[in-house]
C-alpha cells in the first residue's frame, strides 16, 4: 500500500515535466484572467512614472512653505508640469505631475483661503516638510524590478498592475488539455431516461468543471461501457490532449474495464487514503496508427466523492497550486481508520469545521454542501470535538 | 461622513432590487460552472436510486449468512437484479443493484474461497449483520429533498450532484452586465506610448477582471477625458447594461469630471474608509433619445487600490457573496487612522498575516502580491504584532 505522499510524488514526477514543456502564448490583457504567467515580467516603466501629488492642494518648495506665496495656473492630472519658479506655489490635483523644484504638497483645506486661488492671487501655506503628500516616482515599483513572477495565476490585482505598467498583452502558459473518460456499464447520461439498475454519470461534469476551474481545458469523452476493446478504440481516436483521466474500473471487481484494458501498461495501486484508495497511474499510447504518441494517464475510482478527492489530492495542486490551508477545530468527535489518511467534507466557519455526511464515497449531496476538505491523517483513529485538524478551503 | 456599513446598505438598497429582477436562463450543465442557481432544485430521483453494494463481494440474506451457500451468476453494476432466492448467494460488484431479498454484502476477501465463484459453486460466508456494506436507496438524498438552494454558486461538487440527479441543464440567474468607465485626462491605454505626465489606465483591466471573476459581464468603455460633455455622450450611447461604474473624478479637485457631469443626479459622499473614502452613488439616465432608461450608478475613486477595495467592500458581496473571512495574527505592529476603517493588503499564511506595502492607494505592486484584505476597523489606532485582525481571503 502506498502513502498519499508517495502517490503525490509519483503523479508529480509523471506530469510535471510534461506540464513544464507545455509552451506559452500571448493573450490580450483582458483575456488573461486566471491564466498562469509564462515568464517573470519586469517593470518597463516605474510606478508612479513621475513624482506626483497625493492630494488636491498646492505644490511648494518645502523650504519656502509657512508663508504667503503667489500662485501659478493649476496643474491638472495628465499635464506635463514645468519648473516651479522660486517664491511661487501652484494648485495641483491628485495624481498630477509635481513640477520640478517643488518637493511638498499642502492639502487645499489647509491653505488660506482653503480653496484653489486663480493664477496671480496669493495663498498662505502652513509649513510642509519635504516629501509631504508626494508620491515619489518608483515608490510602488522601480523600472526593471520584478513585477509578477513566472507561474503566478493572474487575478484582477496582477492584471491591473500589468495594465498600469502599459502591457497590452501578456505571455501565459498554454492551457493543459485533459480528456475525461467515465467508465461503467451502469452509467446513463444526464438528461436521458434512467433504466433500472443504472445511475447518471456525475463524474464527467464533476471532473470537467473541476478541471476548468483549475485552468485546464476539459474534453469530455462519451462514457465507456465495461468493454476493454472499447477502451482501445477510445485511445486510438484520441488526439490533441496532454493527459487522459478515467474514472471507475480500477478496483477489485470482476468487471474492471480500465484494469483489464490497460493491464501491463499502467500501474494499479492501493493508496492509504479514504476515499480514493484505488489509483492507477502510467502512460498510454493514443492516436490513430502512424500518428501515435504517448501521454500520461491517471485512473481515479468511480465514486464521485472519490473522484473529486483524487483530483484535489493528486492533480489540482499541479494545475493550480495548493488550496488555502488552515487549522480548524472539529465541532464534534470524529473517527478515522488509523491505517488511512481520511479526507472528509466539511463546513468551515468561524475557525470551526463541522463534518458533513459520513465517510462514504457516494455522499455527493453532503459534498455539494461542503466548503472544505478535512484531513484526518494516517495514524489518527479518534479525534475529540475541539481538536484541531487541517482543512483545505474549496 | 458615512460609515462603511451605511454606504454598504445604500449600495445594497440601490442594486439588490435590480439584481433580484434580473431573470433566469437555462444552460447546459457543463456551461453552468460558477453561475448562480436561479431556483431551489429538488431531487427528481433518489441517490442512490436503488439499494446497492458498497463492496465487490457476495449479496446475501443476513439471516442466512454464516453458512456455505451456492452462488448464482454475478451481478455487475448497471444490471437490473432479480430476486435472490432463499438459500442462495450471488457475487455482486461495487455499485451494482442489490437483489430483492438480499440485505447484506460480504466482501469477497472475507469469503472462502476469497474469490468470485462461478454460478453453481458454493462459497462459505461469515456472519453479516443486516445492512452491512449496503448503500440504501436515498441515503445520499431522498426524492424531493432540496438538492441545491437558489442562489448557490455552482462549483464542481454542485454540478456533479446535479449531473448525478440526471439534470442535463440548469436554471441560472442571468449575468449582470456592468459598464466600466475609467476617467481622467491623465490616462493612456496599455500597449500605447506613454506621454510625459500621464499614466496607464489600470482600472479598466482591474475592474473588468474583478467583475468577470464575480460572475458579471464587464463592458469596458473607452477612457473618458476630464470633459463633462463627453460624459453626457457616453451616457447617451450606452445600452444593454444593468449598472455603470466610473473610476476617478469624484474627489475635491478642480477637474472632477464625474462630479461635474453628474452634479444633482447622484450623491457624492465621504465614507470613513481608507482607501476608497470618496464614493458616488445614484442613478443615471442612459440610452439615445426615445430609448432612455435609468440604471444604477456607482462612482469609485481613481487610484487602482481604492477602486479594487471599493469593489470588494460594496459591489462584490452583492454579485458573488462574501469572501472567506478569518481571524489572523498580525506579523508586525500596525497603525490606522482611528476615524476610518482601514483596509490593508496582506499575505496570509499559517494563521498569520503580514501587511504588504503601506496604506497608500497607489501601491498596486504590493496589492498584486497580496492574497488577503486586512481590516483595521473604525476606532482602532494601533495594533501590536500578534494581535488578531479580520482578513478576507482573495
Amino acid at each position: 500500500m502506498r502513502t498519499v505522499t508517495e502517490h503525490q510524488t509519483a503523479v508529480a514526477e509523471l506530469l510535471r515535466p510534461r506540464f513544464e514543456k507545455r509552451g506559452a502564448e500571448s493573450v490580450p490583457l483582458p483575456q488573461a484572467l486566471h491564466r498562469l504567467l509564462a515568464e517573470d515580467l519586469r517593470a518597463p516603466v516605474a510606478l508612479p512614472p513621475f513624482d506626483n501629488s497625493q492630494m488636491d492642494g498646492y505644490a511648494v518648495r518645502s523650504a519656502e512653505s509657512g508663508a504667503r506665496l503667489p500662485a501659478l495656473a493649476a496643474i491638472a492630472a495628465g499635464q506635463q508640469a514645468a519648473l516651479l519658479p522660486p517664491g511661487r506655489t501652484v494648485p495641483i490635483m491628485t495624481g498630477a505631475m509635481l513640477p520640478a523644484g517643488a518637493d511638498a504638497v499642502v492639502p487645499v483645506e489647509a491653505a488660506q483661503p482653503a480653496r484653489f486661488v486663480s493664477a496671480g492671487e496669493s495663498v498662505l501655506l502652513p509649513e510642509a516638510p519635504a516629501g509631504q503628500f508626494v508620491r515619489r516616482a518608483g515608490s510602488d515599483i522601480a523600472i526593471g524590478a520584478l513585477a509578477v513572477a513566472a507561474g503566478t495565476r493572474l487575478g484582477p490585482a496582477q492584471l491591473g498592475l500589468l495594465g498600469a505598467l502599459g502591457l497590452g498583452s501578456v505571455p501565459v502558459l498554454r492551457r493543459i488539455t485533459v480528456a475525461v473518460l467515465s467508465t461503467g456499464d451502469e452509467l446513463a447520461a444526464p438528461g436521458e431516461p434512467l433504466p433500472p439498475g443504472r445511475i447518471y454519470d456525475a463524474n464527467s461534469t464533476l471532473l470537467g468543471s473541476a478541471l476548468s476551474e483549475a485552468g485546464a481545458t476539459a474534453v469530455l469523452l462519451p462514457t465507456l461501457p465495461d468493454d476493454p476493446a472499447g477502451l482501445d478504440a477510445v485511445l486510438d481516436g484520441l488526439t490533441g490532449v496532454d493527459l487522459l483521466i478515467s474514472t471507475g474500473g480500477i478496483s477489485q471487481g470482476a468487471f474492471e474495464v480500465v484494469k483489464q484494458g490497460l493491464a501491463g501498461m499502467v500501474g494499479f495501486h492501493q493508496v492509504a487514503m479514504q476515499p480514493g484508495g484505488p489509483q492507477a497511474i502510467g502512460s498510454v499510447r493514443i492516436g490513430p496508427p502512424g500518428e501515435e504518441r504517448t501521454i500520461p494517464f491517471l485512473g481515479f475510482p468511480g465514486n464521485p466523492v472519490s473522484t473529486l478527492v483524487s483530483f484535489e489530492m493528486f492533480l489540482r495542486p499541479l494545475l493550480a497550486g495548493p488550496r488555502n490551508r488552515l487549522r480548524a477545530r472539529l465541532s464534534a468527535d470524529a473517527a478515522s481508520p488509523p491505517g488511512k489518511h481520511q479526507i472528509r467534507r466539511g463546513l468551515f466557519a468561524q475557525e470551526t469545521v463541522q463534518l458533513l455526511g459520513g465517510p462514504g464515497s457516494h455522499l455527493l449531496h453532503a459534498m455539494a454542501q461542503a466548503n472544505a476538505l478535512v484531513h484526518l491523517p494516517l495514524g489518527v483513529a479518534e479525534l475529540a470535538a475541539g481538536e484541531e485538524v487541517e482543512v483545505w478551503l474549496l
Side-chain angles (χ1 to χ4, degrees), chain A:
Chain A
M1 179 133 21
R2 282 185 165 186
T3 65
V4 167
T5 305
E6 285 165 352
H7 196 63
Q8 282 171 331
T9 302
V11 174
E13 284 175 354
L14 175 69
L15 298 183
R16 198 167 272 148
R18 303 235 173 197
F19 286 4
E20 282 172 357
K21 280 188 298 184
R22 74 176 100 169
E25 58 189 336
S26 176
V27 300
L29 212 51
Q31 290 157 37
L33 181 64
H34 297 165
R35 300 294 296 267
L36 301 178
L37 192 62
E39 56 192 65
D40 283 353
L41 287 184
R42 296 184 175 275
V45 296
L47 290 181
F50 43 83
D51 293 355
N52 71 89
S53 177
Q54 194 178 340
M55 304 291 279
D56 299 314
Y58 287 92
V60 67
R61 293 168 185 264
S62 57
E64 297 178 349
S65 63
R68 180 169 292 277
L69 298 168
L72 304 177
I75 307 173
Q79 286 183 4
Q80 183 169 12
L83 178 81
L84 178 68
R88 299 295 180 96
T89 186
V90 60
I92 189 166
M93 303 308 141
T94 304
M97 184 187 252
L98 206 69
D103 63 355
V105 172
V106 172
V108 63
E109 58 270 25
Q112 287 181 28
R115 59 172 172 80
F116 295 117
V117 300
S118 302
E121 282 188 73
S122 283
V123 61
L124 176 62
L125 300 179
E127 290 218 3
Q132 173 178 286
F133 295 125
V134 173
R135 295 176 186 142
R136 303 291 303 192
S139 56
D140 186 17
I141 187 168
I143 286 192
L146 180 63
V148 185
T152 300
R153 183 170 184 258
L154 299 172
Q158 293 77 37
L159 291 173
L161 174 62
L162 297 176
L165 291 170
L167 300 171
S169 60
V170 64
V172 296
L173 294 177
R174 193 172 60 70
R175 288 189 195 276
I176 299 290
T177 301
V178 182
V180 174
L181 180 65
S182 282
T183 75
D185 277 349
E186 71 274 28
L187 299 179
E192 302 291 318
L194 187 66
R198 299 180 71 172
I199 59 171
Y200 286 113
D201 171 32
N203 286 340
S204 296
T205 304
L206 189 70
L207 261 186
S209 52
L211 285 161
S212 297
E213 193 173 85
T217 300
V219 177
L220 305 185
L221 302 174
T223 59
L224 177 72
D226 289 323
D227 163 21
L231 180 53
D232 288 343
V234 169
L235 295 178
D236 290 350
L238 210 52
T239 56
V241 306
D242 301 300
L243 169 66
L244 171 64
I245 304 179
S246 67
T247 66
I250 58 169
S251 193
Q252 310 301 323
F255 313 99
E256 302 284 357
V257 61
V258 175
K259 208 169 197 175
Q260 291 160 17
L262 300 181
M265 299 172 67
V266 310
F268 295 87
H269 303 276
Q270 275 295 320
V271 177
M273 167 170 124
Q274 182 191 65
Q279 294 288 335
I281 179 170
S283 294
V284 293
R285 194 147 50 176
I286 63 164
E291 296 171 42
E292 291 133 331
R293 65 191 191 97
T294 298
I295 63 165
F297 165 82
L298 297 178
F300 292 160
N303 266 304
V305 177
S306 305
T307 289
L308 193 61
V309 166
S310 299
F311 174 79
E312 290 285 339
M313 295 299 285
F314 301 121
L315 184 53
R316 193 182 191 283
L318 300 174
L319 290 169
R323 292 282 191 184
N324 279 315
R325 299 175 183 195
L326 313 164
R327 306 285 300 173
R329 293 181 195 287
L330 283 171
S331 69
D333 298 350
S336 172
K340 292 187 176 176
H341 178 141
Q342 191 182 70
I343 298 133
R344 298 283 290 270
R345 283 66 61 199
L347 204 54
F348 169 81
Q350 310 271 359
E351 280 136 77
T352 298
V353 68
Q354 174 198 351
L355 298 183
L356 295 177
S361 58
H362 66 299
L363 299 175
L364 190 49
H365 184 218
M367 189 170 78
Q369 298 169 290
N371 63 7
L373 294 180
V374 185
H375 294 263
L376 311 181
L378 208 65
V380 166
E382 294 192 350
L383 284 161
E387 286 198 71
E388 282 199 351
V389 290
E390 179 168 306
V391 303
W392 294 7
L393 297 184
L394 297 177

